[in-house]
Amino acid sequence: MITLYCLAAFILGLVLLAWLGRVYPDRALVTAMLAPTALSAMLIALPTLWPVVVAVDVLLLVVVLIDLASLAREASFQAQRSVGLIASLGQQHPVELTVTNRSGRRQPIRVKDDVPEGMTAEPEDFRVVLSPMSRSVLRYRVRPQGRGEFFLERVYLRVGSRWGFWQRQLELPVRSRINVYPDMKQLGEYAVLARTNRLSLMGLRRTRRIGQDNEFERLRDYTLDDNFKHIDWRSTARRNKLTVKDFQANQSQRIMFLVDCGRMMTGEAAGVSLLDHALNAMLMLGYVALRRSDQVGLLCFSDRVLSFTPPKGGSEQTSRLLHAAYNRFPEMVESRYDEAFLHLATHVRKRTLVVLITNVVDEVNATQVRRHLAAVNGRHLPLAVLLRDHALFDAVAQAEPAYASLAGSGNDTAASTFQQQPAPGVGLSSEKLFRAAAAAEVLSWRRRVLADLETSGVLLVDEFAEDLTAPLVNRYLEAKARHLL
């Protein structure tokens, strides 16, 4: 009976230690408790052994309490973290932890950093032995799985007692911030391919310029290769020497991106959100335009204007665009196109290439997109970037063999009712054919929306999200070559 009381008190003590001090028994304590447990079981056959059982219990309790007193506390350790502020999406980012043992005895510890959700660490934890008054530098890498602002709040330590009966969980407050930006690897690839004249490897086409560059640059002396139409006769008479005008490509033109961050961009393509694809394409085109001495701006909106970066030129503008876009995520709200275009009209007055990146899935938002883009046509050059949905196009593509099989049989009635009957030999169920018919109807409506936009004088880019970058850049280069701005 006494043994049962002791066991109950011991279990209650363990619960209090775990609750109040984050102290837990280790494997060595569980193993050591097997001896008094076995002796207690022997009391059934040999009741006279109870003095031995009590003595063993008391001895074990004293040893365990002495070992409990040897557990290190939070004041015995210090932690520091060194990490770069800016990381790239999907790329490894180095982190350095420095753990200091401020106690006077050797400490075996296990270290785990507070890696936030949305990041993975390699390796996840460390096991080290710290000598008295020493420190250890631990290095690992995190791989961000999403954009945004992440905080590492603390460092977790698990320390053991002198004889290994106990372990304690410690939390050392160390706050660090990591800003995860879109992966800019494609910008470096563009710079390399541009220097080697191999941009076709990225899907970019050579665009022949229509007409001649018409922005006056300077006057210079006439040479035999010059076109006589470029001779400036007033300057020639004044200088008494043939003088021609030099022209250059139009520079300091403006591009303004309007990126929809509402419910239309909450879908995914190739495991990445539509908004991430849109921002990657925006950054790529912005980088190309800045290299051509144009000015680039960005407006992110959902049910309100989220951020606005006015159009500017220069290499620093890429960093501004990155900072404005890195912590933008799609929201399940209805996008306010009127707020976005009102902000555009208020802050951007010069003629600009207005690139609206969004999606159309119903008549409501399609009407708003068409109305606002048509309204700015004339004052600005509107470009609508609409992202395709794989679910719609794949459903129709799967049903095409079934329809072809029925149509090839010569049965017009069967071909006209392929939506109601499964195709023989193709293996598509009625449900899939019904889904394909609904998808075909949506795509037909979508084509009408695109035709209405073109009729309103709006330039179009209609692509799958993962294939957006190259067509968008090509559309910009075409607009530059045709002097549409």
Side-chain angles (χ1 to χ4, degrees):
M1 197 69 176
I2 296 177
T3 303
L4 293 178
Y5 285 141
C6 292
L7 181 61
F10 184 71
I11 293 176
L12 179 60
L14 291 179
V15 173
L16 290 176
L17 285 173
W19 182 31
L20 299 176
R22 295 186 178 179
V23 176
Y24 308 92
D26 210 339
R27 293 182 180 179
L29 178 58
V30 177
T31 304
M33 290 179 62
L34 294 178
T37 302
L39 290 175
S40 299
M42 293 176 62
L43 288 176
I44 300 175
L46 299 172
T48 57
L49 286 179
W50 68 267
V52 178
V53 174
V54 172
V56 171
D57 288 344
V58 172
L59 178 62
L60 179 60
L61 180 61
V62 171
V63 172
V64 166
L65 292 178
I66 293 174
D67 193 44
L68 177 62
S70 69
L71 269 177
R73 299 182 179 273
E74 185 176 317
S76 301
F77 298 94
Q78 183 181 12
Q80 295 177 333
R81 183 189 299 109
S82 176
V83 57
L85 176 62
I86 298 176
S88 294
L89 178 64
Q91 301 297 316
Q92 290 188 341
H93 190 63
V95 183
E96 183 178 283
L97 286 176
T98 302
V99 182
T100 304
N101 177 18
R102 304 166 69 179
S103 66
R105 75 177 184 88
R106 180 173 171 270
Q107 296 281 5
I109 61 174
R110 182 178 178 181
V111 184
K112 182 177 177 63
D113 205 358
D114 183 24
V115 179
E117 185 178 359
M119 290 186 177
T120 58
E122 302 174 4
E124 294 184 353
D125 56 12
F126 300 88
R127 296 178 183 270
V128 296
V129 178
L130 293 177
S131 303
M133 306 303 293
S134 66
R135 67 179 59 181
S136 178
V137 179
L138 311 173
R139 297 179 178 86
Y140 71 99
R141 295 179 179 274
V142 294
R143 186 186 297 274
Q145 305 297 327
R147 294 176 295 101
E149 189 177 52
F150 296 87
F151 291 95
L152 288 72
E153 303 284 353
R154 54 188 63 87
V155 176
Y156 299 100
L157 301 183
R158 180 183 295 176
V159 299
S161 58
R162 186 185 301 271
W163 295 326
F165 290 137
W166 302 96
Q167 59 180 352
R168 168 176 276 159
Q169 302 284 356
L170 299 177
E171 295 183 6
L172 304 182
V174 183
R175 184 179 175 86
S176 302
R177 186 182 71 177
I178 300 178
N179 293 338
V180 180
Y181 290 87
D183 184 16
M184 304 312 296
K185 182 180 179 181
Q186 59 176 349
L187 302 189
E189 292 178 352
Y190 175 86
V192 172
L193 295 177
R195 286 196 298 266
T196 57
N197 198 24
R198 293 184 298 165
L199 288 177
S200 59
L201 297 179
M202 295 186 67
L204 304 184
R205 302 190 301 265
R206 285 182 176 271
T207 305
R208 186 176 64 86
R209 301 186 66 87
I210 299 176
Q212 296 179 343
D213 298 327
N214 54 9
E215 185 171 324
F216 175 76
E217 181 181 11
R218 60 171 181 163
L219 293 172
R220 61 173 176 82
D221 293 342
Y222 174 83
T223 62
L224 293 178
D225 296 330
D226 289 328
N227 191 332
F228 70 91
K229 295 181 180 180
H230 294 164
I231 296 177
D232 188 320
W233 294 108
R234 288 187 178 181
S235 300
T236 297
R238 185 175 60 252
R239 299 177 65 225
N240 199 25
K241 181 187 294 186
L242 283 175
T243 305
V244 295
K245 294 179 180 179
D246 248 0
F247 297 91
Q248 63 180 357
N250 292 329
Q251 297 181 354
S252 296
Q253 294 176 327
R254 282 155 296 281
I255 302 177
M256 192 68 203
F257 291 98
L258 275 64
V259 180
D260 185 1
C261 300
R263 67 181 181 92
M264 301 300 169
M265 306 295 282
T266 55
E268 290 190 355
V272 181
S273 71
L274 297 180
L275 183 57
D276 277 316
H277 287 298
L279 293 177
N280 288 338
M282 179 274 296
L283 291 171
M284 184 63 186
L285 176 52
Y287 180 76
V288 173
L290 290 171
R291 285 175 60 95
R292 292 172 174 264
S293 303
D294 284 344
Q295 301 177 14
V296 182
L298 172 65
L299 190 152
C300 298
F301 69 97
S302 56
D303 58 343
R304 64 199 184 281
V305 175
L306 301 175
S307 64
F308 175 71
T309 304
K312 291 184 179 179
S315 58
E316 295 182 357
Q317 186 69 356
T318 302
S319 300
R320 298 189 190 101
L321 296 175
L322 273 171
H323 187 73
Y326 84 98
N327 60 348
R328 294 289 164 234
F329 302 96
E331 304 175 2
M332 287 299 296
V333 294
E334 193 70 35
S335 300
R336 292 289 303 272
Y337 296 93
D338 55 342
E339 294 283 345
F341 280 90
L342 177 61
H343 197 91
L344 174 71
T346 305
H347 294 85
V348 181
R349 299 186 178 276
K350 295 182 179 180
R351 183 169 173 81
T352 303
L353 175 62
V354 178
V355 183
L356 174 63
I357 307 179
T358 185
N359 195 9
V360 289
V361 296
D362 55 42
E363 190 66 42
V364 175
N365 75 304
T367 301
Q368 293 192 62
V369 169
R370 180 171 56 247
R371 177 162 57 89
H372 288 97
L373 286 178
V376 301
N377 188 23
R379 181 173 184 176
H380 300 296
L381 177 63
L383 169 59
V385 180
L386 305 181
L387 305 180
R388 294 183 175 182
D389 187 351
H390 274 287
L392 295 174
F393 285 85
D394 291 348
V396 174
Q398 291 176 1
E400 285 180 353
Y403 179 75
S405 175
L406 291 171
S409 65
N411 189 340
D412 295 337
T413 303
S416 63
T417 59
F418 80 102
Q419 299 173 0
Q420 303 176 6
Q421 301 294 331
V426 178
L428 284 179
S429 64
S430 299
E431 180 183 355
K432 290 184 178 180
L433 290 176
F434 280 126
R435 187 180 294 114
E441 183 176 356
V442 174
L443 292 181
S444 178
W445 165 82
R446 194 173 186 275
R447 282 193 292 269
R448 292 196 298 270
V449 172
L450 297 179
D452 291 343
L453 286 171
E454 285 187 316
T455 304
S456 303
V458 178
L459 303 180
L460 288 176
V461 173
D462 178 33
E463 289 289 342
F464 293 110
E466 65 272 23
D467 303 326
L468 177 61
T469 301
L472 181 57
V473 175
N474 287 331
R475 200 73 171 100
Y476 156 77
L477 296 176
E478 180 184 351
K480 291 277 289 185
R482 295 172 58 188
H483 302 289
L484 297 180
L485 276 175

